[in-house]
Amino acid sequence: MANQEQPPLQIGLAGFGNVGAGVYKNLLKNRALLEKRLGRGLEVRRIAVRDLSKPRDVELPADLMTTDLDSLVEDDAIDIVVELIGGTDRAFDLVKAALERGKTVVTGNKALLAERGQELFAIADERKTPIYFEAAVAGGIPIIKTVQESLVGNHIEAVAGIINGTCNYILTRMTEAGLDYPEALAEAQQLGYAEADPTLDINGWDAAHKAIILASLSYGCWVPTDRVYVEGIEKITRRDIDFAQRFGYVVKLLAVIRLHPDSSAIELRVQPSLIPRGHILASVNGVFNAILIRGDVVGETLFYGSGAGQDPTSSSVISDLADAALWRNNCEGHTGFVPHGLYGKPLPIEESASKYYLRVEADDQPGVLAQIARVLGDHDIGILSVIQPEDHEPGSAPIVLMLDYASFGTIRAALAQLKALDCIREDPVLMRVESL
Ligand code: HSE
């Protein structure tokens, strides 16, 4: 039962798109449960949208709606501002102003936090006012609080995540149904998984923003966006997926965050990567997300669930509202960003090492394989196995190699030399092989 002495907390909701509507709908649906659990009601007082006339699936009283974003901040009765408008400019101004007025902030905006989180958390810290952001990473998977709270007794050694559902859906369909990339992308768009403009999903930056947030929580420092190595899935072909399968791997867009203990450097990258078929992450398919975290005390843990969608993402926003309610009741607990370690600096990508998948299209002539092997040998890169299928187009032959551990800098230098060989017909395809 709600605490009679405590009036319901008043929420100002900025944005009523898919997630905003889900938050409103599910707050109403589970109102009694939340009141019982929190000892206090949660009430949406005002909803700011761009366009009042836009048709909406979720019914709501017209008197809650406004186009005036500032009114959420200016209304002293509003305790919590929920920012779901996206983007980094208006959203930044809104969150900053809300914090400065002493309001608690809940946001699901990964780009905002990855790009300007350092500034916002400094304001939150100064004002002793929390920012909660569970919905910013992996939709409905409660990964933020897991790292902040449940794993607080660990040094985080590594994080590996499939954290973009759109890319995972596309790669899954290419693998399982043999679709080409454009077909799989069109299907993802038709089903509403990919945005009409899916650029940030497929170019890897949606996952990179999430990875920056996870790295900040794991290591207590903000990695600037220009120090993150990001490759998308745009160039992945069915052919490479097929070859990877022949070697016993599946292709996933993988975010890797890893501490190098000797140098205290943080490796942070998002790339299409080969994962052994038998590894548990290889079976994370469709729009699902999964995040594997290795801590020095807990060992390996894995978190799986819906990384996007109205209900899963609103579940995370509502969990933040619950935290905000508890915080406002007691004015204690974490204030959003908890730096565990302040370990330090980003690792230059050239120094990160892994095994690799390499496909080159070369002239179908004697001696070509020897030329390729020589370049790799000159760079001290070991060849683990090679396939040259017989059923190729006449004249040009695909040569697919699995390469042993080498630094990214070394492999790039070798690639540059390979590209310059007369016998190489097109840009080689390189992907990481993760042993996890
Ligand atoms: N567009 C994202 C995805 C969800 O496909 O996973 C929101 O970050």
Side-chain angles (χ1 to χ4, degrees):
M1 198 204 288
N3 181 342
Q4 298 305 311
E5 287 164 30
Q6 295 264 42
L9 279 162
Q10 299 296 315
I11 297 166
L13 188 56
F16 203 73
N18 195 33
V19 178
V23 171
Y24 182 77
K25 177 187 82 178
N26 287 310
L27 274 178
L28 287 184
K29 176 173 174 263
N30 287 348
R31 180 181 215 146
L33 174 83
L34 282 161
E35 278 191 9
K36 199 166 178 187
R37 287 183 173 167
L38 302 175
R40 192 161 185 188
L42 293 171
E43 209 165 88
V44 176
R45 181 177 171 86
R46 187 162 300 165
I47 301 172
V49 295
R50 257 186 210 276
D51 179 3
L52 288 175
S53 61
K54 193 174 158 187
R56 301 178 194 279
D57 296 337
V58 174
E59 258 184 61
L60 74 174
D63 60 351
L64 292 188
M65 307 294 278
T66 175
T67 52
D68 181 7
L69 204 53
D70 294 336
S71 69
L72 302 186
V73 173
E74 283 155 11
D75 183 346
D76 285 333
I78 288 180
D79 304 294
I80 305 168
V81 169
V82 180
E83 183 279 303
L84 297 170
I85 57 176
T88 52
D89 295 329
R90 283 169 76 236
F92 179 85
D93 294 341
L94 174 71
V95 171
K96 180 171 184 276
L99 292 170
E100 285 172 345
R101 290 284 282 247
K103 298 184 192 300
T104 308
V105 170
V106 172
T107 177
N109 189 334
K110 63 222 70 140
L112 174 68
L113 297 182
E115 289 175 20
R116 308 193 69 180
Q118 190 160 12
E119 292 166 75
L120 289 175
F121 286 106
I123 299 167
D125 203 34
E126 192 189 304
R127 302 280 166 157
K128 299 277 171 278
T129 307
I131 305 177
Y132 298 107
F133 50 103
E134 187 61 73
V137 179
I141 304 176
I143 198 67
I144 298 297
K145 289 194 232 309
T146 296
V147 181
Q148 279 179 325
E149 296 172 10
S150 311
L151 299 179
V152 70
N154 288 259
H155 289 99
I156 305 293
E157 294 174 345
V159 179
I162 296 170
I163 49 178
N164 184 273
T166 305
C167 289
N168 204 36
Y169 181 83
I170 292 170
L171 294 174
T172 301
R173 294 293 288 156
M174 290 172 76
T175 306
E176 291 184 349
L179 301 187
D180 285 323
Y181 172 76
E183 289 175 285
L185 171 60
E187 195 179 275
Q189 281 173 308
Q190 236 167 36
L191 292 168
Y193 298 146
E195 304 291 332
D197 176 5
T199 313
L200 283 183
D201 288 314
I202 61 179
N203 71 11
W205 271 99
D206 175 82
H209 286 144
K210 295 167 183 167
I212 289 172
I213 295 171
L214 288 176
S216 77
L217 289 176
S218 303
Y219 301 118
C221 70
W222 289 95
V223 177
T225 46
D226 61 1
R227 302 297 301 276
V228 183
Y229 185 81
V230 184
E231 278 177 40
I233 63 164
E234 307 97 316
K235 292 189 188 145
I236 302 294
T237 61
R238 216 176 72 196
R239 204 164 183 213
D240 291 306
I241 288 178
D242 289 345
F243 282 129
Q245 283 187 304
R246 285 166 73 164
F247 283 113
Y249 293 89
V250 294
V251 178
K252 296 285 180 195
L253 184 74
L254 200 68
V256 172
I257 307 161
R258 186 180 287 142
L259 181 72
H260 290 245
D262 297 343
S263 55
S264 289
I266 299 157
E267 183 177 342
L268 181 43
R269 56 189 166 82
V270 174
Q271 288 172 282
S273 307
L274 274 64
I275 300 178
R277 195 185 289 132
H279 192 277
I280 195 160
L281 281 180
S283 57
V284 176
N285 286 321
V287 284
F288 282 96
N289 283 196
I291 300 153
L292 186 147
I293 301 186
R294 202 171 61 236
D296 63 343
V297 181
V298 71
E300 262 188 17
T301 55
L302 181 70
F303 305 88
Y304 172 87
S306 297
Q310 184 177 69
D311 287 336
T313 310
S314 60
S315 164
S316 288
V317 173
I318 291 170
S319 84
D320 280 348
L321 286 169
D323 265 3
L326 296 176
W327 189 87
R328 291 196 78 93
N329 277 354
N330 308 314
C331 279
E332 59 188 28
H334 71 78
T335 49
F337 171 63
V338 182
H340 294 166
L342 299 169
Y343 291 99
K345 52 182 200 248
L347 183 84
I349 193 66
E350 288 73 19
E351 292 174 25
S352 67
S354 66
K355 296 180 187 176
Y356 299 91
Y357 162 100
L358 175 66
R359 174 169 64 81
V360 292
E361 294 295 322
D363 291 345
D364 189 11
Q365 277 178 4
V368 163
L369 189 55
Q371 287 183 56
I372 294 167
R374 188 171 315 117
V375 170
L376 294 169
D378 287 348
H379 287 85
D380 211 18
I381 299 168
I383 298 172
L384 297 169
S385 55
V386 183
I387 305 178
Q388 185 181 355
E390 286 176 41
D391 55 344
H392 56 77
E393 304 283 310
S396 168
I399 300 172
V400 189
L401 304 106
M402 298 298 276
L403 304 177
D404 208 347
Y405 278 96
S407 73
F408 200 54
T410 306
I411 201 90
R412 273 177 152 176
L415 271 194
Q417 275 195 18
L418 282 177
K419 270 162 69 169
L421 292 177
D422 287 340
C423 63
I424 300 295
R425 295 194 165 200
E426 41 184 83
D427 275 358
V429 173
L430 180 80
M431 284 190 276
R432 299 252 187 188
V433 177
E434 294 294 344
S435 51
L436 297 163

